[in-house]
Amino acid sequence: MNDDIEETIDWQGSEVDCASCAHCDMLASGKCRLSHACVNDRYARRIDRFFNWNPGLANQYVSHPHFEVRAIAAKHAAVFLLPPLLDDPEETVRWNAARRLPKKHILKLRDDPHREVRIRIVTLLDDSDLVPMLQDRDYYVRLSVARRLAPELLEWMLHDEEAEVRRVVAQRIPPDWLMRMAGDPEPRVRLEIVQRLPAEKLGEMRGDSDWRIRHEVASRIAPEEIGSLIADEDELVRETACARASGGERRRKEGPL
């Protein structure tokens, strides 16, 4: 079955010529197929299929001039050939080499010039090796670190400049750190905090400037601590507070069962 693309063009824009290929003898045995599995084709899917069929040939192609060939060969080549590819000019090649190498070889990619490589490197590293990436210049790299780092190490990220990073931190920090972020300037971060706070701590956020946070407080705080929320400027907060307060008053009047 052929790919949707019918043309058979190599990476330099010329027509693929099986007769001049070093692997032309493989055609008869079905180990390659024009427009389907071909190392000379410029389409990555066909190159990938060629190496899936012939992984033993990958070692010969880790220095190929076409980056797609190097990148796909890196998935199959012997591991001892991969370290030099960490300095390849193409990020796809660097990443495909990194994912197969021991950690000691890939630490330098924490400073890779391409953000996608740094983002992916985060998934391969442990806590102690992630610490240098806490100050990465790209917010999404830091966001990836915040999602992976052990909660007890997130203290360094409580005041990250990017609100979305702090929001993820707020979701994951230990419960006894929550109030340290209760004054965050971003409402989305404070909302994460208030949703995790136990009921006995909610009173400290009763006067928050964001109605969503006050509503969360009103919906869970002890009825006797509703206080000013009964007269809140937001209608939904007032309704929730009044319903909670009246329910608490009714229970007090009825007494224990």
Side-chain angles (χ1 to χ4, degrees), residues 88-206:
D88 194 275
E90 291 291 334
E91 67 272 10
T92 307
V93 179
R94 297 196 299 273
W95 165 242
N96 279 345
R99 66 200 300 191
R100 296 186 58 217
L101 284 167
K103 183 178 65 176
K104 66 180 181 179
H105 290 285
I106 66 175
L107 291 177
K108 69 178 184 178
L109 294 186
R110 292 179 298 189
D111 297 315
D112 193 272
H114 200 284
R115 71 189 292 262
E116 290 299 327
V117 174
R118 301 199 307 278
I119 290 167
R120 291 177 176 181
I121 284 297
V122 169
T123 66
L124 303 179
L125 299 179
D126 300 321
D127 288 336
S128 60
D129 296 313
L130 288 173
V131 171
M133 303 184 78
L134 295 173
Q135 303 298 320
D136 192 276
R137 60 189 178 277
D138 189 285
Y139 95 93
Y140 202 86
V141 176
R142 301 195 307 276
L143 185 64
S144 300
V145 173
R147 288 171 173 161
R148 182 167 174 82
L149 201 64
E152 60 271 16
L153 296 178
L154 289 172
E155 184 173 13
W156 288 307
M157 306 190 82
L158 295 179
H159 304 292
D160 191 274
E161 66 183 35
E162 176 59 46
E164 185 60 20
V165 174
R166 299 196 307 276
R167 191 180 71 81
V168 170
V169 171
Q171 293 172 345
R172 302 190 62 236
I173 55 175
D176 56 348
W177 293 5
L178 290 172
M179 290 308 299
R180 296 172 63 179
M181 298 188 75
D184 192 278
E186 172 56 51
R188 291 177 300 154
V189 176
R190 301 198 304 276
L191 187 58
E192 297 288 350
I193 294 297
V194 76
Q195 288 172 343
R196 293 186 61 199
L197 281 175
E200 61 270 20
K201 291 282 188 179
L202 290 174
E204 299 184 48
M205 301 190 73
R206 190 168 42 206

